Amino acid sequence: MDLIDQAAASDLRPLLRGPSRRILPVLVLPLVLVGSCAAGAWVWANLEDLVETPESRDVASTMSLSLEDRASLFEIKWAQQKTDDEIAELNRRIDAQRDALKEILDQITILTSRIDSLQSSTPVPSASEPPLSPPRAVSTRKRFGRSKPRGPVSVGGAPVIAEPKTAEP
């Protein structure tokens, strides 16, 4: 019985496996060939557009323009380049000013920390000692030795000469 089962099993395997292995390469190979041929034809037809650079497009488009239009286009491109250069210079200046401001901020931070450390290290007067009287404010007029004008003064600040008083009738 084993021989019959083996013979039956061996007869079915080639029938089941044989056609599926043969059909796969026959169907896939032509599809790959047709697809690659179509892609090659598309690339060949559009090769000019793929290889063309933006500069060559600009040259081709400017050739069709009149002489005045080309001159105007040249002036516009020159102005754009000049503006780009000016913007680059302004950006460099802005960066330099940012660096300077950062240095100033660092210096302010250092000075602030020094002030804080000096204030914290200053001894606080005790309650038993009398507080020092604050110094009196010195007026700016006394410091510079200016004197206050006496008598009537005009609106402009010049002294007014008083008129002699007349007797009333």
Side-chain angles (χ1 to χ4, degrees), residues 126-148:
S126 64
S128 63
E129 295 178 15
L132 296 175
S133 63
R136 287 191 274 166
V138 178
S139 73
T140 56
R141 290 187 182 197
K142 286 182 182 178
R143 209 179 329 161
F144 292 115
R146 292 175 125 186
S147 62
K148 189 173 183 181

Side-chain angles (χ1 to χ4, degrees), residues 151-164:
V153 178
S154 68
V155 177
V160 177
I161 300 172
E163 295 179 16

Side-chain angles (χ1 to χ4, degrees), residues 87-106:
I87 289 173
E89 179 63 28
L90 288 174
N91 284 334
R92 282 191 291 272
R93 289 181 184 177
I94 288 172
D95 290 340
Q97 288 179 354
R98 279 189 187 141
D99 293 341
L101 286 175
K102 188 174 186 288
E103 290 176 10
I104 291 171
L105 180 63
D106 292 342

Side-chain angles (χ1 to χ4, degrees), residues 6 15 17 37 43 53 55-56 58 62 72 75 80-81 88 91 100 103 106 119 121-122 125-126 134 150 152 162:
Q6 286 178 358
L15 292 174
R17 288 188 185 173
C37 287
V43 168
T53 60
E55 291 84 19
S56 64
D58 289 342
T62 57
S72 298
E75 289 176 9
Q80 285 176 340
Q81 182 63 36
N91 284 334
E103 290 176 10
D106 292 342
Q119 285 178 348
S121 67
T122 305
S126 64
R150 296 187 181 147

